[in-house]
Amino acid sequence: MAASKPAVTAASSTASRKDTVLSRRWIEGQIAQGKHVIIFEGRVLRVDSWIPFHPGGDKSIKHMVGRDGTDEINALHSKEARQRMLSYQIGRIEGLWVNFLPPIQGGKFRPYSEDAHSVEDESSGQETSVPPSPVFDAVDATSNLRRRKSMSTDTTVSTPDTQESEAKPFFLDARTREEIVFDTAKYPSLDTDSQENIKRKYRELDQRIRDEGLYQCNYFSYFIECCRYTLFAGLAYMFLRMGWWGTSGFFLGCFWHQLVFAAHDAGHMGITHHFHVDSVVGIIIADFLGGLSLGWWKRNHNVHHIVTNAPEHDPDIEHMPFFAISHRFLNSLRSTYYDRVLTFDAPSQFLLKFQNYLYYPILLFGRFNLYRLSFEYLFCGQAPKKGPAWWHRWLEISGQAFFWTWFGYGVVYCTIPDWQSRLTFIMISHMVTAPLHVQITLSHFAMSTADLGVHESFPQKMLRTTMDVDCPTWLDFFHGGLQFQAIHHLYPRIPRHNLRSTQKLVLEFCQETNIPYAIFTFYDGNKEVIGRLGEVAKQVRILEECRKSCAQQGVFSDHH
């Protein structure tokens, strides 16, 4: 890696500044100062001034700091957005980039001092820049930290202390090691050559998908979708006028269930591929017709696509105290998304013991939780107030007012005569959407949550943490494209009606790279999820026995 002096004279042109080769040690120093530096196609981007304007929130950017985010950026952004990013370029790198562990994930960075800079310091910087091994050291019960090995103590990474000082049983750490060993044996090697080969073939596949026109939307498919939406909405209105409250609620729930798929497409710019047009389409569908915030979904979903199935970081698997798909939640870990500790408290200790039995009943009420999250996003300062999406929040607030006027006041209060019938209508219409929540969780809850470190390529991580659901073509409308989640995670902007055609290309890619492609039937997928929930529930019961043993004898007795 070249170690060119990063300083640039005032007389230098913008082009020459952008062409300056920046050393790894200097970039580390910038991150140590709190700068948000990302590598994109060999360019060094400092995006601090963009964070307040980013429509997808700040968390997704923070998970890319110090990393080569080329594949993630290309997958999630339009050509226009990627071009706009180049205005934040401050230099470039030479050769392959070895990722840092981002600060939000616990990475430690040394300040850079040009006066003290020397050949020895640069060499040391190269060593301490090597990311930590995915193999954990033993748990230190006295400090309650889980340390990771690295080539220097300067970059030791540790998870934050929780509020509990109680030492955790060692079987939890053993389980972590076991999962990592299993995944490293099952998936391709994490060495540089193997992962670079996977990246190269992934990018070649992206070009092949473009050449076959699979990024182009089939608008006739959306005409059929609109006919289905109209049918469900018409039936809901007809039975509402007839006074068949439960039947009307059923078809309204079907209407909402199908609409979410189109909102998902719009959120990924998979319909018109234009940011504002697709955003408006998505807001009309999600907010005006469904009462849910598209902006909240984008903020949440972008992070999910980058740190998929990471217990500390992925909000889509952080459902304490109701669900825990990994034993790591039993350590009261801190969520970087919610910026709080997901405490393994008394309610969690009780509910998680039965989570495999409560899975479907709890998901019946999933839509109510989405209302809460939408309100928090719109009214608690999470939505962007600047940048290209500043007005989206106000459009969404208007949409919320419209929804609660037509649904809450017009339908529930004015049309339905008594509270018993109103409750029946509300519960049925909301519970009918439960298959959507099953579909959303199905593709991830049973998959790996192991952290294989920052060497792992984006495509391998997506395929390791996501499964597809096999179903006949005629049933695609029911799954709404969510049955191709692994393919969708690889290429999020492919229109969902083209995902089935893309599947055969992804299968060839998996065969060439020796990455397992997980695909289950809907029935078998549900069995996998229930099995995973039951496994963690068993660990919760073991923990309870350990605590009882400690209380009685002061030791773990025979429980290990």
Side-chain angles (χ1 to χ4, degrees), residues 326-385:
S326 169
H327 65 280
R328 288 157 69 185
F329 286 103
L330 311 186
N331 277 334
S332 291
L333 59 79
R334 184 175 187 82
S335 165
T336 58
Y337 182 83
Y338 293 109
D339 197 23
R340 60 180 174 83
V341 174
L342 303 178
T343 309
F344 184 53
D345 52 14
S348 301
Q349 293 167 24
F350 175 76
L351 291 171
L352 295 183
K353 287 190 296 184
F354 311 102
Q355 62 174 351
N356 48 323
Y357 302 106
L358 296 174
Y359 175 64
Y360 297 112
I362 288 175
L363 292 187
L364 290 172
F365 301 93
R367 193 173 185 88
F368 295 104
N369 185 49
L370 298 184
Y371 290 143
R372 177 186 66 84
L373 294 169
S374 297
F375 291 152
E376 285 184 1
Y377 173 81
L378 292 173
F379 300 108
C380 295
Q382 297 177 6
K385 300 179 179 62

Side-chain angles (χ1 to χ4, degrees), residues 218-232 258 262 474 476-477 496-497:
N218 182 352
Y219 291 107
F220 180 73
S221 297
Y222 276 106
F223 170 74
I224 297 175
E225 298 286 346
C226 290
C227 291
R228 187 181 302 117
Y229 305 153
T230 304
L231 173 64
F232 286 137
Q258 290 292 300
W474 65 268
D476 283 351
F477 82 94
R496 65 177 154 113
H497 302 104

Side-chain angles (χ1 to χ4, degrees), residues 179 296 300-301 303-305 307-330 333 335 337-338 340 342 352 355 440-450 461 465-466 489 529 532-533 536:
E179 289 183 355
W296 161 79
N300 180 97
H301 202 64
V303 175
H304 164 68
H305 268 267
V307 286
T308 309
N309 261 29
E312 296 89 349
H313 313 300
D314 183 359
D316 273 15
I317 64 169
E318 295 178 341
H319 301 295
M320 297 285 278
F322 301 105
F323 300 125
I325 67 169
S326 169
H327 65 280
R328 288 157 69 185
F329 286 103
L330 311 186
L333 59 79
S335 165
Y337 182 83
Y338 293 109
R340 60 180 174 83
L342 303 178
L352 295 183
Q355 62 174 351
I440 292 171
T441 58
L442 182 63
S443 294
H444 299 291
F445 270 27
M447 297 302 289
S448 173
T449 60
K461 183 174 182 178
T465 57
T466 313
H489 268 254
V529 170
R532 169 64 65 83
L533 294 174
V536 177

Side-chain angles (χ1 to χ4, degrees), residues 482-533:
L482 299 184
Q483 75 273 35
F484 299 114
Q485 274 291 290
I487 302 168
H488 169 69
H489 268 254
L490 290 173
Y491 304 103
R493 291 181 296 110
I494 294 180
R496 65 177 154 113
H497 302 104
N498 296 337
L499 290 174
R500 184 172 286 278
S501 299
T502 308
Q503 186 179 46
K504 65 180 186 296
L505 303 180
V506 172
L507 282 169
E508 293 177 9
F509 165 78
C510 290
Q511 291 170 355
E512 291 177 1
T513 57
N514 293 318
I515 300 177
Y517 174 55
I519 182 168
F520 293 85
T521 65
F522 186 73
Y523 173 76
D524 288 336
N526 275 268
K527 283 179 61 179
E528 291 289 322
V529 170
I530 296 300
R532 169 64 65 83
L533 294 174

Side-chain angles (χ1 to χ4, degrees), residues 2-19:
S4 301
K5 185 178 179 180
V8 183
T9 65
S12 300
S13 66
T14 302
S16 64
R17 289 199 303 270
K18 291 185 176 182
D19 286 337

Side-chain angles (χ1 to χ4, degrees), residues 231-252:
L231 173 64
F232 286 137
L235 289 172
Y237 179 75
M238 181 184 74
F239 285 112
L240 184 70
R241 301 296 297 177
M242 293 172 60
W244 292 25
W245 317 123
T247 307
S248 174
F250 173 82
F251 284 110
L252 178 60

